Amino acid sequence: MSPSTDDLLKAIFQAELRGASISASELARHLGISPPGITQMANRLQEDGLVEYRPYRPMTLTQEGRELAAGIIRKHRLWEMFLHKALKMGWNEVHREAEMLEHQTSDALANRLDEFLGHPAFDPHGQPIPDRHGRVRTRKDILALSEAEPGITYTVVGVTDKSDDLMDFFTDIGLTLKSRITVNGKISMDESVIVSVKNYRTILSKTVAEHIYVQK
Ligand SMILES: [Zn+2]
């Protein structure tokens, strides 16, 4: 299976976890592939029994496709944890390496990693690691910082790691998992959020705030 096919399955899986559906054009944008390229991949994955796809309809995973996607995400997040815990790499350094390693990892090796790491429930970014049966733990009472209320101090419980720039920015301002973050206010014009993290007071765009998950 080529990396891009894996990435397509992962993107649909993650949208489904959020309770959302994802169209072929959104997938094309997300993966940087042309719409005809996506259609071609979708048709091939449908033949393999991994996705269900009809033109102009959201793409969905079959049970087999869902298990495969959960397995790839499991390998990715276990590698991130290994690189972070065992090799002491920063949380802003591990995603890129894991993107490559996830495609070259057998289920048996993933299980050995899982054992070595003591069956971690979450990766270094606070994202849940699917278990060997593809089950994903969900946490309650978590919201995106973009939805948080002014005047309240929250604890950071997760970030999305898709952008290296963003991860470097988080590292620069000292934002880590378990950081306390206070929402000082919101700018109504564009819904950006004024926050304090440690001794930093900064403004986060709505888009950046959507990538930080917090708990009261
Ligand atoms: Zn990652």
Side-chain angles (χ1 to χ4, degrees), residues 47-207:
E47 278 166 30
D48 292 341
L50 299 173
V51 305
E52 277 166 37
Y53 171 59
R54 274 179 296 148
Y56 310 110
R57 304 278 303 161
M59 239 179 262
T60 55
L61 296 172
T62 62
Q63 184 58 29
E64 201 186 337
R66 198 164 296 123
E67 279 167 20
L68 190 60
I72 303 162
I73 291 170
R74 170 175 162 81
K75 289 165 187 170
H76 179 104
R77 293 180 176 169
L78 284 170
W79 275 121
E80 287 188 331
M81 205 58 188
F82 177 82
L83 297 172
H84 185 61
K85 287 278 176 209
L87 304 188
K88 310 291 176 213
M89 289 173 69
W91 76 335
N92 55 330
E93 297 176 299
V94 296
H95 177 74
R96 192 193 294 258
E97 301 291 345
E99 281 285 294
M100 294 186 281
L101 291 164
E102 66 182 25
H103 305 294
Q104 311 295 340
T105 305
S106 66
D107 291 343
L109 176 55
N111 291 341
R112 293 290 291 268
L113 273 176
D114 185 38
E115 222 164 275
F116 176 80
L117 294 166
H119 309 289
F122 299 97
D123 76 12
H125 311 105
Q127 302 292 338
I129 301 174
D131 69 14
R132 62 172 76 200
H133 307 290
R135 287 184 300 239
V136 182
R137 304 154 192 78
T138 49
R139 287 182 295 183
K140 292 196 178 81
D141 312 320
I142 286 181
L143 65 163
L145 186 65
S146 51
E147 310 293 329
E149 291 165 56
I152 294 181
T153 299
Y154 295 87
T155 304
V156 175
V157 293
V159 297
T160 51
D161 61 353
K162 302 291 174 277
S163 153
D164 288 349
D165 295 353
L166 190 57
M167 287 306 304
D168 288 342
F169 171 70
F170 291 154
T171 306
D172 282 350
I173 65 169
L175 185 140
T176 60
L177 288 187
K178 301 198 180 111
S179 280
R180 300 288 284 161
I181 188 164
T182 305
V183 179
N184 303 118
K186 273 191 186 182
I187 297 172
S188 58
M189 188 177 80
D190 63 354
E191 295 180 62
S192 51
V193 190
I194 307 163
V195 297
S196 306
V197 189
K198 294 196 173 148
N199 302 324
Y200 256 100
R201 197 176 154 94
T202 187
I203 297 179
L204 303 175
S205 70
K206 186 186 181 210
T207 310

